[in-house]
Amino acid sequence: MRRSEQTRAEDTLLRDTSRRFLEDTYAWDEGRLRRADRAAHWRSAAELGWFALGLPERLGGLEGDGNQLLSILEEAGRVLHDAPLLANVLLAPKALSAMNEAVAIPLAEKLAAGEIRFAYVPDGSLHLSRSTMRLEGKGSLALGAAEATHWLVAVGSRSADGASLLLLPASDAVRRADSRLIDGRSASTLYFEDLAIPDDAVLARGETAFRLLEELNDRAVIGACAEAFGALEGGLELTVDYVKQRTQFGAPLSSFQAVQHKMAESFCEIEQMRSLLLWGAVALEGSPDERAQAASALKVFLGREGLTAASRCIQVSGGIGLTEDYRIGHVYKRLQTVSALFGSTEAHIARLGDLFIPSTQHET
C-alpha cells in the first residue's frame, strides 16, 4: 500500500490518539463492564471523529480509507472493547452511502455525533414478500442489537432474486433473544413475525442489494478480524512481558529455549496476519473478487493460526493464563468468538476454493 508522507503522518496520529483514548478510558480489567460509563465513552468516540471517518464527504463525513478505519478497530481490539464499533465505524457508513441523500444526510449527522447506533443483522432465514411487504424469519446473531437505535437487516443474501437490505428502527414489536457471548459482548437473535415493512425502509433490492450485502458481509469479516488482530497483538505483548518477569529455577522464563520458540512462532503468525490485514484494508476499496478473497483468507488464517498463536500465549503463562482475572484467556475467547461470526472457518475455506477455482474446473 503506497501512502504519501502526509497520509502516513495522519495514520500515525489517528492510531496514537485512538490508543491513548482507549487506554485512558477503557483499558481492560476484569471489572470494566461494571464501571465504564458506556454512554459517555460513546460520545467521546464520536467527538474524536470515529463515526464520521467512514462517511463520504457528500454526507458530511471525513472519507477515511480502509487503513484508517481498521486502525480504530485494531486499537479497540487491544483493550477488548465490547461496544459495537464495527457496525458503526465500518458498515453503517457504507449502507448510508447507498441511500438517497435527502434521507441519508440527517442519519449521517446523527451517526457522526454519536446520537444513534446501528447494529448489523446478517441474514439467517429471512424472507421479504414483495407483494405484501411483510418480513418473516430469523436473523443471524447481531452484535449490539439491544443497544442499537437502528438495525441494518440483510434479507435473502444467498441469491439476487430475493435479496434486500433494510434499515429499520429498533422496535419492541420484534421478538429479540439477547445473549452474552463468551468474550463478554452482547448479541441478539431477532425474530420477525409478519412485520410490515414500509417502502422507504428498503435501501436496495435484487442484484444491487445482493452486491451490497456481499460487500457488507466482507467488510464485517475484515473489520472483525482487525479487532481480533489487535487483541492478539496486545496479548502477545502482555505474554512477552510476563515471561521476562516470571522466574523458574532461578532464571526468567524468557531464557528457556522452548518458551522462546513458542513466542517466536506466535510472533511470525501475527506478522502474517498483519500482512493479510493490510491486504484487507486495500481490498475494502478494491474489486468485489479481491475483497472477497481477502476477507475469506483473513477469516481462515484467524480460525487456524490466530487461535494457535493465542493458545501458545496461554500455555507459557501457566496457571495464571487460565484465570478470569488475567487478560490472555479473554483474548482467546475474543478470537474464538470472531472465528464463529460471519461464517465459519470451514465455510470460508470452501468460499476460497470457489473464488480461486472456477466452477468449470470443479466439474472436470
Side-chain angles (χ1 to χ4, degrees):
M1 180 188 298
R2 293 185 176 181
R3 303 175 75 76
S4 68
E5 184 176 344
Q6 179 181 349
T7 303
R8 291 198 301 271
E10 292 172 354
D11 292 347
T12 301
L13 179 61
L14 175 62
R15 185 179 293 276
D16 290 347
T17 301
S18 300
R19 182 172 297 188
R20 286 198 302 270
F21 167 68
L22 288 163
E23 289 179 347
D24 289 345
T25 64
Y26 219 77
W28 186 88
D29 67 80
E30 193 276 332
R32 182 195 63 214
L33 292 177
R34 292 188 293 272
R35 293 197 295 269
D37 185 340
R38 297 171 70 86
H41 178 77
W42 194 264
R43 289 193 300 270
S44 297
E47 291 170 1
L48 288 173
W50 286 6
F51 308 128
L53 186 61
L55 290 167
E57 290 183 1
R58 62 184 177 82
L59 297 183
L62 303 175
E63 204 155 342
D65 60 23
N67 188 71
Q68 294 167 337
L69 294 170
L70 293 185
S71 70
I72 293 174
L73 298 177
E74 286 178 37
E75 294 306 319
R78 287 178 67 90
V79 298
L80 300 179
H81 199 284
D82 49 28
L85 289 176
L86 171 60
N88 292 275
V89 169
L90 201 60
L91 305 185
K94 175 56 64 174
L96 292 177
S97 298
M99 295 175 62
N100 179 283
E101 287 191 11
V103 179
I105 288 175
L107 289 171
E109 290 174 349
K110 291 180 179 180
L111 170 64
E115 296 174 4
I116 58 176
R117 294 190 187 194
F118 290 87
Y120 175 54
V121 184
D123 184 29
S125 57
L126 293 172
H127 173 72
L128 177 65
S129 170
R130 295 192 178 184
S131 59
T132 63
M133 291 299 291
R134 298 276 176 170
L135 182 62
E136 286 278 356
K138 180 181 75 170
S140 292
L141 202 64
L143 293 172
E147 304 173 55
T149 60
H150 294 75
W151 296 327
L152 287 166
V153 182
V155 179
S157 59
R158 293 169 183 81
S159 72
D161 293 337
S164 299
L165 176 63
L166 311 179
L167 176 59
L168 303 176
S171 171
D172 292 335
V174 176
R175 186 161 63 91
R176 196 183 75 222
D178 298 331
S179 58
R180 180 72 65 180
L181 304 182
I182 61 171
D183 67 347
R185 290 185 290 180
S186 65
S188 304
T189 302
L190 303 182
Y191 296 86
F192 299 90
E193 300 168 354
D194 197 34
L195 182 70
I197 302 298
D199 289 340
D200 59 3
V202 182
L203 303 187
R205 298 177 187 270
E207 185 66 32
T208 301
F210 183 67
R211 291 196 301 268
L212 184 55
L213 293 180
E214 283 193 325
E215 181 170 2
L216 287 177
N217 202 63
D218 286 339
R219 291 173 77 91
V221 169
I222 293 171
C225 287
E227 292 179 321
F229 172 80
L232 184 56
E233 186 179 44
L236 178 65
E237 292 174 4
L238 175 73
T239 305
V240 169
D241 288 342
Y242 175 79
V243 298
K244 287 179 178 178
Q245 298 173 22
R246 181 76 164 86
T247 58
Q248 191 75 31
F249 306 112
L253 284 178
S254 59
S255 66
F256 295 108
Q257 193 174 59
V259 173
Q260 293 172 1
H261 285 173
K262 287 183 180 295
M263 292 296 91
E265 288 173 351
S266 291
F267 173 80
C268 290
E269 287 160 346
I270 290 173
E271 290 304 302
Q272 291 177 65
M273 189 171 176
R274 188 193 305 277
S275 296
L276 286 172
L277 200 56
L278 287 171
W279 180 27
V282 175
L284 286 175
E285 316 299 333
S287 69
D289 282 349
E290 182 183 17
R291 188 185 63 243
Q293 291 165 7
S296 289
L298 263 168
K299 196 66 157 52
V300 171
F301 193 90
L302 171 69
R304 293 189 166 187
E305 283 76 10
L307 280 169
T308 300
S311 68
R312 289 197 200 93
C313 292
I314 294 176
Q315 292 170 22
V316 302
S317 297
I320 193 174
L322 301 175
T323 64
E324 284 294 308
D325 292 340
Y326 195 62
R327 180 157 56 100
I328 192 60
H330 295 271
V331 169
Y332 188 78
K333 291 177 182 178
R334 175 58 58 91
L335 266 65
Q336 281 185 310
T337 301
V338 172
S339 69
L341 291 172
F342 311 121
S344 66
T345 301
E346 291 73 20
H348 281 279
I349 291 174
R351 188 185 188 213
L352 281 173
D354 291 336
L355 288 167
F356 284 105
I357 304 174
S359 57
T360 54
Q361 292 187 28
H362 286 301
E363 298 170 1
T364 59

